[in-house]
Amino acid sequence: AIKEVPVIMASARPKRARAPPRKLDIEADDTDIRRAIALSLKHQKRTEASIPEAPVYYPTAEEFQDPLGYISKITPEAERYGICKIVPPEGSKPRTSYPKESGLAFPTKRQKVQNLQEGKPFGTGKKYTLREYQDYAEAFRTSYLREHRLEREEGCSEQEHHRRLEKEFWKIVETGCRDVTVDYANDLNSSKFGSGFDHDPECKWNMNTLHQKPQSLLKEIQCEIQGVTKPWVYLGSLFTSFCWHTEDHYLYSLNYMHNGHGKTWYGVPSSNKEKFDLAMKSFMPQRFRKNPELLYQLITLLNPFYCQDEGVRVYHTVQKAEEFVVTFPNAYHGGFSHGLNCAEAVNFALPEWLPWGAKAMQDYHEKMTRKGGKRPDVFAHDQLLYHLGAMLSKIVLRNRDKIASKQSDPKLLNSCIKEVVCDELPFDPKAFVPRLLQDFSKSAKHELHYRKWLEGGKMTSMTSSYSNAKPPQCWVCKNMPYFSHVQCKNHPERMTCPQHAFAQCDCGVDCKGLAVIVSKYGIQSMQNLIQSITKTL
């Protein structure tokens, strides 16, 4: 059974006073913005608010041996909070640490804490070696806490100290009362700078091998993607922040803190995503009108108390060393560090993710114009669907002799196919296969419709392939078309999906060609295979 700490509701956390911040307008001068917020805080009636805690789970030693199985088990409950925390059982904690010192200097982003809710791009920070960054972060934290009397005093609980740091952080963000600049080393390539799991490569929760687990759908991508199938490393200092965002393709994410000071997380469940979007846009209407993709750029951290006042459900947790945080599909999350820490994160996809992957494609690429799409793909969704179908095909082929022996009796044949699929698929096929059929059929219909349109317009086609298994990005909509793409001999750098064949340039059809990766027969055969398996379940 799942062991968990009871969810701590609002009454369990100390309440703090907060006045609603003034809404921002891009036309206002930066100094005026901060002054207006400060005056608002001083003169408006202050309100009391608190944020309920996200759930915390304590797996048994046996449950901890199956990371994705355990996360799948808690998902129906935990996803209602957007985030949750997992505390490893004693004796089973990963034996990790900072990545091994390579001597390489890594880049950082320079964050001005007082500007975090203004949606301004971050600057470029200093480059550091691991030792240099550790020294910088520890010195900054010690100096800042001493100067502002925020050191943890005798008798002060850890929870109370976290609350004081949280209050200080949001005071700076909302009022601009202090000029605080920090360097954040985020999205560090673990292949280049090292992974904390290199110290414990056999760990079941090793993020370098998580995508290869049997329950993982991402193993079918068949190419390495930094930050998705390959983890990124994060080095933070006091008040470095990760701004509100959802994961690419609305994937799950897993974050582990190797060592260091705590990290405050806020999560918004997917059920409240639209409310959150509206709250952000109402807070900064002019900025969103100028830059509708602001939330995709990870440069805005709006106070969660304001979001809560706008009717958004927000949850809170503090991640400490040797603890995991899971974020769920399509859930916004953000937060900040309490001091020097080292964390590592990777994405993953369980079978339950498939509907969210389809929704991501819809949200990313609907209402496309000649000017382009909204958010770029990081992998080809159609490629993943096709390879998931191929996974089913391999199961059938491995058992072809057994299946062939039942060919004379349709009922026995269907029963045999169902049996081999249920036995060999590492998750429940009754939910997975019909959903795969639904998504693949939609992609196939879209692809073949535009392919017919182009062929009717006398566009020549040729068989092609991708040398590195990763399709290029459409120049217009930022989608990664897998089945085919269009090339123009006059603009070879402007590859597009079939839908945007004539948005890449003004050249005529005689200058363009359709590069076919998967034939019409191959697409239809795969759809028929998935459909035939679905009928047996």
Side-chain angles (χ1 to χ4, degrees):
I2 300 171
K3 295 172 65 180
E4 62 171 302
V5 169
V7 177
I8 305 172
M9 299 311 291
S11 59
R13 293 188 74 223
K15 292 188 176 181
R16 69 218 73 183
R18 187 193 69 81
R22 180 176 172 180
K23 297 180 181 181
L24 299 181
D25 189 308
I26 193 170
E27 273 73 29
D29 178 80
D30 290 349
T31 305
D32 291 340
I33 290 173
R34 290 194 291 271
R35 186 183 300 115
I37 294 174
L39 289 172
S40 175
L41 287 165
K42 182 177 180 180
H43 296 296
Q44 292 185 33
K45 180 180 178 181
R46 301 180 70 87
T47 60
E48 288 191 342
S50 59
I51 297 178
E53 296 290 315
V56 182
Y57 293 91
Y58 293 82
T60 64
E62 181 180 357
E63 289 172 326
F64 196 67
Q65 294 303 301
D66 182 11
L68 297 187
Y70 183 72
I71 293 172
S72 180
K73 184 178 181 180
I74 65 174
T75 288
E77 177 181 75
E79 68 180 350
R80 299 199 298 265
Y81 301 86
I83 60 172
C84 76
K85 188 164 69 172
I86 297 177
V87 180
E90 288 298 328
S92 300
K93 295 179 178 179
R95 298 185 300 276
T96 66
S97 184
Y98 289 95
K100 297 173 183 177
E101 176 64 84
S102 63
L104 293 174
F106 48 80
T108 62
K109 289 180 180 175
R110 184 147 292 172
Q111 298 178 326
K112 292 185 177 295
V113 180
Q114 63 274 14
N115 293 342
L116 283 173
Q117 66 176 7
E118 296 176 19
K120 293 183 176 181
F122 299 136
T124 301
K126 180 183 172 183
K127 286 191 174 183
Y128 301 82
T129 63
L130 177 59
R131 182 72 262 166
E132 288 170 345
Y133 190 85
Q134 290 171 323
D135 292 343
Y136 149 73
E138 288 287 26
F140 172 70
R141 184 179 194 272
T142 300
S143 172
Y144 189 93
L145 297 188
R146 182 187 300 119
E147 179 182 352
H148 300 289
R149 299 183 178 181
L150 289 167
E151 296 169 298
R152 185 176 173 184
E153 301 164 348
E154 186 177 351
C156 177
S157 69
E158 183 179 51
Q159 183 183 29
E160 173 61 20
H161 192 239
H162 290 162
R163 188 193 70 80
R164 291 177 64 198
L165 293 179
E166 182 181 34
K167 183 177 179 181
E168 175 74 5
F169 176 79
W170 289 113
K171 180 181 177 181
I172 298 167
V173 172
E174 287 204 303
T175 70
C177 60
R178 309 190 208 287
D179 187 351
V180 180
T181 302
V182 290
D183 284 349
Y184 181 30
N186 68 320
D187 299 350
L188 298 182
N189 186 329
S190 59
S191 298
K192 180 178 181 180
F193 297 105
S195 163
F197 287 97
D198 291 341
H199 299 281
D200 190 8
E202 300 304 314
C203 173
K204 297 290 186 181
W205 293 68
N206 184 347
M207 294 182 184
N208 296 281
T209 57
L210 193 72
H211 70 285
Q212 298 172 358
K213 300 287 184 185
Q215 306 99 317
S216 167
L217 301 188
L218 295 186
K219 68 180 183 294
E220 301 301 328
I221 291 180
Q222 300 179 0
C223 62
E224 182 179 289
I225 304 173
Q226 276 296 323
V228 178
T229 61
K230 191 73 175 174
W232 270 334
V233 175
Y234 299 82
L235 292 169
S237 73
L238 179 66
F239 297 154
T240 57
S241 62
F242 51 110
C243 295
W244 288 113
H245 68 287
T246 58
E247 295 299 311
D248 288 318
H249 292 251
Y250 299 161
L251 292 163
Y252 289 79
S253 77
L254 181 67
N255 185 292
Y256 183 68
M257 186 179 288
H258 297 299
N259 6 43
H261 296 282
K263 185 182 292 186
T264 289
W265 287 73
Y266 304 103
V268 175
S270 60
S271 60
N272 273 231
K273 183 178 183 292
E274 290 185 4
K275 286 185 179 179
F276 180 87
D277 288 339
L278 290 173
M280 289 289 287
K281 291 173 182 177
S282 68
F283 186 76
M284 301 191 298
Q286 295 293 339
R287 198 172 290 276
F288 269 94
R289 274 195 283 273
K290 183 175 181 180
N291 183 8
E293 281 75 58
L294 186 62
L295 278 173
Y296 297 155
Q297 297 168 1
L298 281 75
I299 55 174
T300 309
L301 190 62
L302 185 61
N303 194 318
F305 298 104
Y306 168 80
C307 299
Q308 192 170 246
D309 290 345
E310 294 294 303
V312 181
R313 285 169 50 208
V314 186
Y315 296 93
H316 164 282
T317 196
V318 175
Q319 179 190 26
K320 293 176 281 189
E322 301 181 326
E323 294 179 344
F324 291 93
V325 167
V326 176
T327 72
F328 292 90
N330 203 26
Y332 275 112
H333 48 281
F336 67 94
S337 289
H338 301 178
L340 171 66
N341 56 36
C342 176
E344 199 159 338
V346 76
N347 289 122
F348 63 96
L350 297 172
E352 300 94 313
W353 164 82
L354 271 180
W356 293 114
K359 178 170 174 51
M361 292 300 95
Q362 178 183 341
D363 291 351
Y364 284 17
H365 306 301
E366 68 180 5
K367 298 180 181 178
M368 292 299 97
T369 67
R370 191 180 179 90
K371 293 182 179 179
K374 292 184 177 181
R375 186 172 178 176
D377 294 357
V378 296
F379 62 84
H381 189 75
D382 289 345
Q383 181 182 28
L384 177 58
L385 296 178
Y386 187 80
H387 286 170
L388 289 172
M391 176 181 67
L392 296 176
S393 177
K394 290 174 185 176
I395 292 175
V396 171
L397 288 173
R398 281 197 298 269
N399 294 274
R400 57 182 175 272
D401 292 340
K402 183 178 181 179
I403 292 172
S405 67
K406 311 295 182 182
Q407 290 281 3
S408 59
D409 189 325
K411 287 186 178 179
L412 290 178
L413 176 63
N414 287 343
S415 178
C416 181
I417 294 173
K418 177 181 178 180
E419 180 184 343
V420 298
V421 171
C422 290
D423 286 348
E424 296 198 23
L425 203 63
F427 35 78
D428 182 12
K430 292 181 180 178
F432 170 74
V433 179
R435 181 69 212 197
L436 177 61
L437 175 63
Q438 178 182 332
D439 293 347
F440 188 86
S441 297
K442 182 178 179 180
S443 291
K445 181 179 180 181
H446 183 273
E447 168 68 23
L448 297 179
H449 167 77
Y450 282 102
R451 194 177 292 189
K452 182 178 180 180
W453 170 58
L454 294 176
E455 290 171 349
K458 308 302 181 183
M459 182 176 289
T460 58
S461 62
M462 68 207 84
T463 302
S464 186
S465 64
Y466 298 122
S467 58
N468 63 353
K470 186 177 180 180
Q473 213 168 61
C474 173
W475 189 75
V476 178
C477 69
K478 313 306 179 189
N479 182 23
M480 285 185 174
Y482 174 63
F483 298 126
S484 68
H485 63 269
V486 176
Q487 295 173 311
C488 176
K489 65 182 181 181
N490 296 327
H491 302 90
E493 77 286 358
R494 297 184 184 181
M495 188 283 298
T496 70
C497 63
Q499 182 179 353
H500 295 109
F502 297 101
Q504 64 183 163
C505 60
D506 295 326
C507 299
V509 69
D510 56 320
C511 297
K512 301 175 186 291
L514 180 67
V516 176
I517 311 300
V518 182
S519 68
K520 177 181 178 181
Y521 175 78
I523 294 173
Q524 291 175 333
S525 296
M526 183 61 72
Q527 184 175 348
N528 291 338
L529 171 73
I530 302 171
Q531 187 173 41
S532 65
I533 294 174
T534 301
K535 289 178 179 178
T536 70
L537 299 175

